[in-house]
Amino acid sequence: MSSTMGTPEGGVPVRHWTFLTNHARVLLEIARNPQARLRDMAAIAGITERAAQTIVTDLEAAGYLTRTRVGRRNHYTVDPSRRFRHPAEADHRIEGLLSLFTHREEGRDPE
C-alpha cells in the first residue's frame, strides 16, 4: 500500500492510500504490455526503476511471471493460475484481478 500525508484546507492531515500494492501495479502493467520496459512500469506505478526491477525479480522468483530475452528487450509472460499470497485470499487465482484491470483496455467497461 502506498501512503503519503497531505494537509487539506482545513489543516487536518489526511493519509492518502491505495488499494493496490506496487507489486500489483507492476504485474498489471506486464499483463497489459508483455514487452513493457522497466522505465514504463516504474512510471505507471509511481516508483523508481530500481524498485520496479526488484518487484519484477520478486514476481519472477515467486512464479507469477517468466522473463524471456528477445533481442535487446525482455518479454514477460504472466501465469494467471497463480494464487494470491496472503492467506485470506490464497484460495483465489490472480486471473480475476488481471481480467478486472486488463479487459478495460479492450474497450469493455465492467460497470
Side-chain angles (χ1 to χ4, degrees), residues 3 13-14 22-23 39 41 51 62 65 76 79 83 94:
S3 67
V14 175
N22 290 334
H23 279 68
R39 173 181 316 156
M41 293 177 215
L65 61 87
Y76 303 94
D79 181 355
R83 297 185 181 279
I94 64 166

Side-chain angles (χ1 to χ4, degrees), residues 34-84:
Q35 296 177 10
R37 298 174 300 173
L38 287 172
R39 173 181 316 156
D40 302 328
M41 293 177 215
I44 286 172
I47 58 178
T48 65
E49 283 186 53
R50 185 175 185 98
Q53 174 64 53
T54 299
I55 289 170
V56 167
T57 300
D58 289 347
L59 293 170
E60 186 176 25
Y64 287 91
L65 61 87
T66 55
R67 183 180 357 194
T68 307
R69 193 79 174 165
V70 178
R72 295 177 55 192
R73 303 278 302 263
N74 286 321
H75 180 86
Y76 303 94
T77 304
V78 175
D79 181 355
S81 70
R82 300 292 299 183
R83 297 185 181 279
F84 285 95

